[in-house]
Amino acid sequence: MTSQGQSLNSTLDDNCQVDFRGTLLTINSYLGDQDVERLKFLCRDSITPKNLEKCGSALDIFEYLLAEEWLTEEDPFFLAELLYTIKQKVLLRHLRYTKEQVENWLPVRRKVSLFRNLLYELSEDISSENLKSMIFLLRESIPKVQMTSLSFLAYLEKQEKIDEDNLTLLEDLCKKIVPNLMRKIDKYKREKASQVRAPPVAKETESLHQGEKELICHSDIKQWLGALPEVSWQDEHAQSNGDRATPVSLKMLGSSVDTLTSETSTKETAVYRMDRKHRGYCVVVNNHSFTSLSKRPGTNKDAECLRRVFQWLGFRVHIYVNVTKGHLEEVLQYFRTHPGHADGDCFVFCVLTHGKFGAVYSSDGNLIPIRQIMSHFTAQQCPALAHKPKLFFIQACQGEEIQPSVSIEADAVNPEHVPPSLQDSIPVEADFLLGLATVPGYMSFRHVEEGSWYIQSLYNHLKDLVPRQEDILSILTAVNDDVSRQADKHGTKKQMPQPAFTLRKKVVFPVPQEELLL
């Protein structure tokens, strides 16, 4: 395309963007303070609490929705849903929607959760007198500040007195003060039950699900590695003597594994769908600096490589740096309820940090079990990701630290006195893959300038093998072989990555149209 043509396209894009923002500005001019409060409440699952606190106008809310792609010029339906919900239906014409169109689309395109809708509908029917009575009953646990019905319900939610699975307190209040609201709560329960009910399982995959509670059945490290005792000792010997580590891959315990193995061999053509509206989201948690642990130089190179390769594969990449325990929980909750999953093919979550067996460190020094991170995305917790591949990659040590050489560092912290809860297995159902940089009990290595052995190998093999239409497990096998051959300059430090999975089909990413340039 000529430079003149590119300039013309750029000008047209800019004009379109200005026009859409002009539309949002017009909508904002019709919205009052009460409307803004209602919008903020409805967006509690879409915008982080910290950012919501900063929103003083509808424009502030629109800005965050635009930044996170909840709202785009091509697809403004989320805003249409919000305006419809707060009864500003006359404003739908600015988005070129009619009331009837929104009503028809809501059952399949709804982005506000059932729980959020329930609370909003209840707030609409709680009069000021009803509210006073509810506050009176809970006076000892409610701050003495002016409250609306929305802020009252938001407070109960923030204090974890109510949530989507626990409405006991709310039911008690409604029964005593506004009994007719119980119909809305009962309706919510029915809709929620039908929403999370799993569809019928095909016969060829039925045995995979029966009795499957955990990815790896163990209560401590010995049980986890119990299926491979000789290989485990062999690796430990290789670590201490500088010999080449023997490549291993984690065998999943239980009858479901045999089923998975036989399915893989007999159904070679079974692959996950990769033709929805977008590939999905890739989250990268990149911890470089810590309050009480050593820094991780080289990790920014890893984060940048992950961003480049997953954007190349079509993912929408979100990177979070130096994430505290509280911030991590916000990120997990945000993506657990993200409506964009409904139109995505896949989900990827990467963690670059220090670690111990079965857990990773937040930037403020808290140990977070890997199990806890993954549990946010099960079919029950995140229905929009049901039957879709969920890939987790962890660059962190899973065992004891040794003295590193000058240019090689270990992503480990002294493992003594690990809390028993961290010895638990990693919980997961079908359609999960966990890629650990190293086998449990051992360390992983990171070059202070070039990045970690594992992430750099993953980046290079995705770049090289996706165009050959290799599936993700074949790619990770190549990563295992590559990393197992690496060593520090003295040849004494070795590493063996560890994949574990309950995938039912092959994960084959479509070949990108453009080459990934170095």
Side-chain angles (χ1 to χ4, degrees):
M1 181 183 291
T2 65
S3 59
Q4 183 177 5
Q6 290 175 333
S7 176
L8 178 60
N9 282 345
S10 176
T11 302
L12 290 173
D13 289 342
D14 290 343
N15 287 340
C16 290
Q17 186 178 25
V18 170
D19 288 344
F20 184 58
R21 284 184 170 269
T23 298
L24 298 180
L25 189 62
T26 300
I27 292 173
N28 171 75
S29 67
Y30 288 101
L31 300 176
D33 292 342
Q34 281 191 336
D35 294 315
V36 173
E37 182 189 10
R38 291 164 181 158
L39 289 174
K40 289 172 68 172
F41 182 84
L42 292 171
C43 290
R44 283 173 65 88
D45 301 320
S46 315
I47 303 174
T48 63
K50 191 175 297 184
N51 288 336
L52 271 180
E53 290 177 7
K54 302 175 186 176
C55 294
S57 69
L59 285 182
D60 294 331
I61 297 173
F62 298 160
E63 199 68 69
Y64 282 114
L65 295 179
L66 287 167
E68 296 297 334
E69 297 183 349
W70 288 79
L71 175 61
T72 64
E73 181 183 5
E74 296 78 16
D75 183 13
F77 184 79
F78 185 36
L79 179 54
E81 178 185 353
L82 295 174
L83 293 175
Y84 178 88
T85 304
I86 67 173
K87 296 181 173 58
Q88 286 286 1
K89 298 169 187 175
V90 69
L91 298 180
L92 294 175
R93 59 186 174 86
H94 295 286
L95 300 174
R96 298 181 180 177
Y97 280 106
T98 65
K99 177 174 71 73
E100 291 73 24
Q101 285 175 324
V102 174
E103 289 172 348
N104 290 335
W105 276 107
L106 268 178
V108 293
R109 299 198 62 191
R110 181 186 300 279
K111 294 187 177 181
V112 179
S113 70
L114 291 176
F115 176 63
R116 186 73 43 219
N117 263 307
L118 169 69
L119 295 187
Y120 183 81
E121 288 180 7
L122 292 177
S123 74
E124 292 287 277
D125 291 331
I126 296 175
S127 67
S128 57
E129 288 302 315
N130 296 149
L131 179 61
K132 287 180 182 178
S133 299
M134 290 181 175
I135 292 176
F136 177 80
L137 291 177
L138 300 177
R139 175 46 70 193
E140 293 184 1
S141 58
I142 300 295
K144 295 182 179 180
V145 295
Q146 190 69 28
M147 281 189 170
T148 64
S149 55
L150 270 182
S151 61
F152 172 72
L153 293 173
Y155 179 80
L156 295 183
E157 183 185 9
K158 184 177 181 180
Q159 297 300 309
E160 298 183 348
K161 296 180 183 296
I162 59 173
D163 59 44
E164 63 179 355
D165 297 313
N166 178 20
L167 297 173
T168 304
L169 176 61
L170 200 52
E171 288 176 300
D172 289 343
L173 291 173
C174 288
K175 286 176 182 176
K176 292 176 181 176
I177 299 169
V178 203
N180 63 306
L181 293 186
M182 286 302 300
R183 288 178 296 177
K184 293 184 183 292
I185 295 178
D186 291 339
K187 179 185 175 185
Y188 161 77
K189 288 182 174 180
R190 290 193 301 271
E191 290 179 345
K192 183 173 183 297
S194 64
Q195 184 186 63
V196 301
R197 188 177 294 124
V201 180
K203 288 186 177 179
E204 63 266 24
T205 62
E206 188 173 12
S207 59
L208 177 64
H209 299 279
Q210 292 176 346
E212 185 178 347
K213 300 296 183 183
E214 298 177 338
L215 175 62
I216 304 151
C217 301
H218 67 84
S219 59
D220 57 31
I221 188 169
K222 290 182 180 179
Q223 284 179 287
W224 197 10
L225 297 179
L228 294 169
E230 294 181 5
V231 173
S232 298
W233 282 108
Q234 196 170 13
D235 279 357
E236 186 174 9
H237 180 75
Q239 286 280 358
S240 60
N241 289 281
D243 298 327
R244 181 180 167 188
T246 303
V248 297
S249 69
L250 186 59
K251 293 180 180 178
M252 294 160 44
L253 309 180
S255 60
S256 62
V257 182
D258 296 330
T259 303
L260 180 62
T261 305
S262 62
E263 278 187 20
T264 303
S265 61
T266 59
K267 293 190 67 181
E268 292 296 331
T269 59
V271 296
Y272 286 99
R273 276 187 62 186
M274 290 287 168
D275 59 357
R276 296 179 179 86
K277 285 188 177 181
H278 62 91
R279 189 72 60 240
Y281 296 94
C282 171
V283 179
V284 179
V285 172
N286 177 30
N287 289 341
H288 172 273
S289 302
F290 300 78
T291 56
S292 57
L293 305 175
S294 60
K295 292 184 177 180
R296 301 181 59 254
T299 188
N300 291 337
K301 176 71 177 293
D302 284 346
E304 175 59 18
C305 284
L306 290 173
R307 181 192 66 78
R308 290 178 61 195
V309 76
F310 281 109
Q311 277 186 351
W312 175 66
L313 291 174
F315 287 86
R316 300 173 182 179
V317 180
H318 298 259
I319 298 180
Y320 298 89
V321 180
N322 298 333
V323 179
T324 63
K325 180 180 180 181
H327 187 198
L328 177 60
E329 182 58 31
E330 287 185 359
V331 170
L332 291 170
Q333 291 293 347
Y334 176 72
F335 282 97
R336 181 181 70 83
T337 58
H338 202 306
H341 292 317
D343 296 324
D345 297 321
C346 181
F347 178 65
V348 176
F349 199 99
C350 308
V351 181
L352 314 175
T353 188
H354 287 303
K356 286 183 181 179
F357 175 74
V360 293
Y361 275 99
S362 60
S363 65
D364 54 349
N366 288 291
L367 270 174
I368 315 294
I370 297 173
R371 157 187 208 139
Q372 182 177 319
I373 294 173
M374 297 178 74
S375 66
H376 285 73
F377 304 100
T378 61
Q380 183 171 6
Q381 291 296 318
C382 186
L385 285 177
H387 312 298
K388 299 177 183 179
K390 294 161 280 283
L391 315 179
F392 292 77
F393 298 101
I394 310 294
Q395 168 54 43
C397 276
Q398 292 296 292
E400 65 182 33
E401 181 180 10
I402 66 170
Q403 184 63 42
S405 59
V406 175
S407 62
I408 302 295
E409 292 191 352
D411 276 327
V413 177
N414 193 328
E416 296 179 2
H417 310 299
V418 178
S421 62
L422 298 184
Q423 305 296 329
D424 290 346
S425 60
I426 301 165
V428 70
E429 52 195 42
D431 309 311
F432 276 82
L433 179 143
L434 171 62
L436 293 173
T438 184
V439 294
Y442 294 91
M443 67 218 79
S444 62
F445 298 103
R446 168 180 33 81
H447 193 284
V448 296
E449 293 178 354
E450 299 302 322
S452 65
W453 295 354
Y454 178 62
I455 296 299
Q456 292 303 308
S457 182
L458 178 64
Y459 165 77
N460 287 320
H461 283 86
L462 284 170
K463 176 171 63 73
D464 294 341
L465 299 182
V466 165
R468 302 181 196 175
Q469 296 188 299
E470 295 278 3
D471 69 285
I472 192 65
L473 294 181
S474 298
I475 292 172
L476 289 180
T477 300
V479 170
N480 281 9
D481 182 60
D482 177 38
V483 174
S484 72
R485 296 174 184 274
Q486 298 190 42
D488 72 318
K489 62 184 180 181
H490 301 296
T492 59
K493 295 181 176 66
K494 296 282 187 177
Q495 179 180 332
M496 188 65 238
Q498 184 71 88
F501 60 91
T502 57
L503 299 174
R504 296 174 296 112
K505 307 174 185 178
K506 288 187 175 183
V507 178
V508 181
F509 294 118
V511 180
Q513 297 298 311
E514 299 179 359
E515 183 180 355
L516 179 59
L517 301 176
L518 295 176

